[in-house]
Amino acid sequence: MNCPECGKEINDNDVFCGWCGAEIINSTENTGDDEVAGEKSGRSLKLSKNKSGDKKKTLKIAVRVIAAVIAVVVITILIVYIVNTVKASAGRKIFDSVPLGRDIDIIESTTATAFISGESSAYGALNHIADYDYICESEKSVNVGGIEVPEWAVLLRKSGGDSVGEAVLYNFYVIGHNWMGSKTASNIETSVINFGDSLKSAERTLGLKAYTIVRESESNTSTYVYRYHYVDSESGNTIVKNFYIVVSDVDNQVKDVRDEQLDYLKLILQAE
C-alpha cells in the first residue's frame, strides 16, 4: 500500500509511514467492525420478524379457536330449536289434519293416528281440567307448575251423534319452563290487536306463542290462547293472564280478542 501523505510505498501493517512519519489508519479493521455491526443488525431484524410472525400465528390460532367455539354454540342452539320445534309440530300436525264434522273412524284414517275413547289420558290432571270424547297425546311429559302433563295432547269432542265438532290442541311444552308463560314488561292491552288482522300479523304484534288452540266446526273459528305474566307497578304483585285471539277458519282473520287474569290455584292449566 502507499502512504496517503507522501505517496511512498509502505507495508500493509505499518502504523506510521517510514518516509514521512504520518499515522496510518487501518481501513480493513473498520470494515470488519462494520460487517460485525451489520451482522448483529441483521440478526436483530430477523428476531424481530420472527417475534412478529409468532404473534400473528398466535392471533390466528386464537381467532380460529373463538370461531370454533361460537360455531359449536350456534349449532347447539339450532339443534335444541329444531328438536323443540319437532316436539311441538307433532301434535300440531295431527290437530291441523283433523276433519271436523266426521266420525272418529274417518278422523283416524285421515290423521293416521289412533285416538283413545273416553277420558283416558295417562295424566290425571288432563282428565280433571278438560272434558273430551277422544284423545291422543305425547308419550313424553312436561312439568307445569308442579303438575305432570303430556308435552302435547289433541282432544276431540262430539257435537251430536258420532261426528266430531271440536278439536283442542294443548302444547304444554310452551309453558313447561314456567307455568305463568312468557314475561312481559307490563299488561298487554287487547286493543293492540285489530279486528281483520291476519293471525300471523296478530301474533307478530303480540310476540307470544300459543299453548292452546280450540277449533270449532259450528262457528268456523279457532281460538288461540297465549299465556304471559308481568309485575304490576302499583301493587308489586305478579299478574298472570291468558290472552285469547279468535280467528275465522274461512279467511284467517281476527274476529275477537279478549283476556283473562288467572288464579294459580284454580286455573294453572285452564285455557278454555
Side-chain angles (χ1 to χ4, degrees), residues 104-265:
I104 190 62
D105 292 335
I106 294 177
I107 290 175
E108 287 183 326
S109 175
T110 303
T111 61
T113 303
F115 283 81
I116 301 174
S117 62
E119 296 182 1
S120 51
S121 170
Y123 305 89
L126 192 55
N127 294 326
H128 178 71
I129 66 171
D131 297 323
Y132 57 90
D133 296 296
Y134 305 99
I135 183 174
C136 72
E137 59 189 357
S138 169
E139 294 180 356
K140 294 185 178 180
S141 64
V142 62
N143 189 291
V144 180
I147 299 176
E148 203 73 15
V149 290
E151 286 185 345
W152 59 264
V154 177
L155 313 181
L156 304 178
R157 298 188 182 114
K158 293 189 290 186
S159 57
D162 292 329
S163 64
V164 171
E166 186 174 298
V168 181
L169 169 66
Y170 283 108
N171 185 6
F172 290 121
Y173 189 86
V174 173
I175 56 175
H177 300 292
N178 188 344
W179 76 269
M180 296 183 293
S182 300
K183 184 176 182 179
T184 61
S186 60
N187 179 55
I188 301 176
E189 301 292 342
T190 56
S191 59
V192 299
I193 307 299
N194 299 314
F195 293 162
D197 285 350
S198 67
L199 176 63
K200 185 176 182 180
S201 174
E203 287 190 323
R204 186 165 53 246
T205 299
L206 196 60
L208 302 175
K209 185 175 182 179
Y211 85 95
T212 301
I213 306 174
V214 181
R215 185 155 55 94
E216 301 176 79
S217 62
E218 185 175 347
S219 61
N220 276 329
T221 61
S222 293
T223 301
Y224 292 76
V225 188
Y226 311 82
R227 182 168 294 178
Y228 73 96
H229 70 282
Y230 66 95
V231 177
D232 183 67
S233 58
E234 295 183 0
S235 65
N237 295 329
T238 298
I239 307 298
V240 184
K241 282 192 170 184
N242 270 351
F243 196 99
Y244 301 82
I245 298 179
V246 181
V247 178
S248 169
D249 291 333
V250 178
D251 55 18
N252 201 40
Q253 292 184 344
V254 175
K255 299 301 180 184
D256 191 19
V257 181
R258 67 181 190 277
D259 64 2
E260 176 189 15
Q261 185 171 328
L262 302 184
D263 182 328
Y264 172 72
L265 296 176

